[in-house]
């Protein structure tokens, strides 16, 4: 079975993000493999170990520098990579079209993995768009995946600690959630071996994607400003505890 993993080259969440020209960020910072995609790669490796003869292909749309992210996926266990090279920033519509075209040109997917979202845009749309383009079933925020009798059985996490269980026929698209596994971080020998694994570069125009009549553009970016209004809680221990419980229940709404 061919297992494709759609990975994204994203800014490090610990980086200091600077907005320039209102609608883009200064890219002179550290980029890395999207953390949710690490769970996708790890799960693909687990499945490959249980399905001898399977192959893992990591696919990424991005600038030339995105090859570093593909190398990270290769170090974690992917067999080879596909880099769809483009200097533009693409919305989820074009991204899904490009990923679908590259995968179709390359092989015959049995499973397509993504992370449940990217930590930069947090759009949570790409896996559904890929599924729609291929006409494959999709499950996202997957926290359990079993292969049973030629189908995928998944638990898809919901809010409040609950989950729905679905049976998906192959081929299908899986959006990996944080609870799916513990990422398999590479050792130094893994990193060395990854440098010898093949990465095929495909120019975005060569995919000959028909322009979509729909699309999204970033009009303006604004930094998130969190306002804080500290209040002193007074009284004896019981009164303080009662006030804290009321705040958590009625204001913060976390209990």
């Amino acid at each position: 079975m061919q297992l494709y993993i759609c990975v994204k080259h994203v800014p490090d969440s610990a980086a200091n993000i600077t907005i320039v020209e209102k609608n883009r960020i200064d890219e002179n910072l550290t980029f890395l493999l999207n953390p949710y995609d690490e769970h996708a790669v790890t799960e693909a490796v687990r499945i490959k170990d249980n399905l001898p003869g399977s192959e893992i292909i990591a696919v990424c749309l991005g600038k030339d520098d995105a090859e570093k992210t593909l190398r990270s996926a290769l170090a974690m266990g992917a067999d080879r990579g596909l880099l769809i090279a483009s200097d533009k920033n693409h919305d989820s519509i074009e991204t899904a079209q490009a990923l679908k075209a590259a995968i179709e040109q390359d092989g015959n997917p049995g499973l397509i993995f993504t992370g449940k979202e990217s930590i930069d845009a947090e759009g949570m749309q790409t896996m559904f768009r890929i599924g729609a383009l291929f006409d494959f079933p999709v499950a996202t925020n997957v926290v359990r995946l079993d292969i049973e009798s030629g189908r995928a059985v998944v638990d898809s996490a919901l809010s409040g600690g609950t989950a729905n269980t679905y049976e998906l026929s192959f081929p299908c698209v899986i959006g990996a959630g944080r609870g799916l596994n513990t990422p398999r971080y590479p050792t130094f020998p893994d990193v060395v071996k990854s440098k010898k694994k093949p990465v095929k570069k495909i120019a975005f125009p060569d995919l000959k994607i028909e322009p979509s009549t729909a699309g999204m553009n970033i009009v303006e970016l604004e930094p998130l400003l969190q306002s804080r209004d500290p209040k002193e809680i007074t009284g004896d221990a019981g009164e303080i505890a009662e006030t804290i419980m009321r705040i958590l229940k009625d204001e913060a709404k976390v209990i």
Side-chain angles (χ1 to χ4, degrees):
M1 181 185 292
Q2 285 189 308
L3 312 172
Y4 286 87
I5 311 168
C6 301
V7 300
K8 190 173 184 183
H9 192 56
V10 299
D12 188 339
S13 60
N16 183 23
I17 305 295
T18 302
I19 297 172
V20 294
E21 298 178 4
K22 290 189 177 182
N23 62 354
R24 64 184 184 89
I25 65 170
D26 182 353
E27 296 187 357
N28 292 316
L29 45 80
T30 301
F31 279 72
L32 40 69
L33 173 64
N34 180 49
Y36 288 105
D37 300 345
E38 294 176 349
H39 296 278
V41 177
T42 300
E43 195 66 12
V45 172
R46 183 186 71 82
I47 291 174
K48 178 185 174 182
D49 289 342
N50 293 321
L51 293 175
S54 296
E55 181 186 29
I56 301 173
I57 306 100
V59 192
C60 183
L61 168 63
K63 300 177 181 179
D64 287 345
D65 191 55
E67 184 175 336
K68 296 176 183 177
T69 279
L70 280 175
R71 293 291 173 191
S72 295
L74 297 178
M76 291 180 68
D79 297 301
R80 56 187 177 88
L82 300 175
L83 175 59
I84 307 166
S86 175
D87 289 331
K88 288 179 56 183
N89 290 320
H90 298 273
D91 63 15
S92 61
I93 297 173
E94 289 183 339
T95 297
Q97 290 175 322
L99 293 169
K100 190 242 186 185
I103 290 171
E104 274 189 326
Q105 287 184 10
D106 184 77
N108 184 28
L111 269 172
I112 298 176
F113 284 95
T114 71
K116 80 177 185 75
E117 62 182 300
S118 61
I119 63 169
D120 54 355
E122 295 184 329
M124 294 178 279
Q125 297 182 38
T126 303
M127 79 286 294
F128 296 110
R129 295 190 184 281
I130 292 172
L133 290 170
F134 274 110
D135 195 23
F136 292 170
V138 182
T140 192
N141 202 14
V142 171
V143 294
R144 181 182 69 89
L145 170 61
D146 293 324
I147 306 299
E148 300 178 2
S149 304
R151 68 187 190 278
V153 181
V154 305
D155 285 348
S156 179
L158 306 174
S159 60
T162 61
N164 284 342
T165 300
Y166 301 103
E167 293 184 2
L168 282 69
S169 59
F170 289 132
C172 59
V173 182
I174 302 294
R178 194 178 296 278
L180 182 57
N181 51 48
T182 300
R184 177 188 178 276
Y185 294 114
T187 63
F188 179 73
D190 292 331
V191 174
V192 173
K193 291 176 184 177
S194 72
K195 296 182 184 300
K196 298 180 180 179
K197 293 181 178 180
V199 172
K200 179 182 178 181
K201 185 180 291 187
I202 306 168
F204 183 87
D206 291 345
L207 294 174
K208 302 187 185 305
I209 295 170
E210 291 292 331
S212 175
T213 56
M216 295 173 285
N217 292 310
I218 297 174
V219 177
E220 186 172 353
L221 297 172
E222 292 184 3
L224 175 62
L225 300 177
Q226 294 180 322
S227 61
R228 300 190 179 189
D229 184 18
K231 298 178 181 178
E232 182 181 2
I233 300 175
T234 59
D236 60 30
E239 292 171 334
I240 291 174
E242 184 177 345
T243 301
I244 291 174
M245 290 297 292
R246 178 185 59 77
I247 292 171
L248 292 175
K249 181 178 180 181
D250 299 336
E251 298 182 23
K253 300 185 184 302
V254 295
I255 60 173

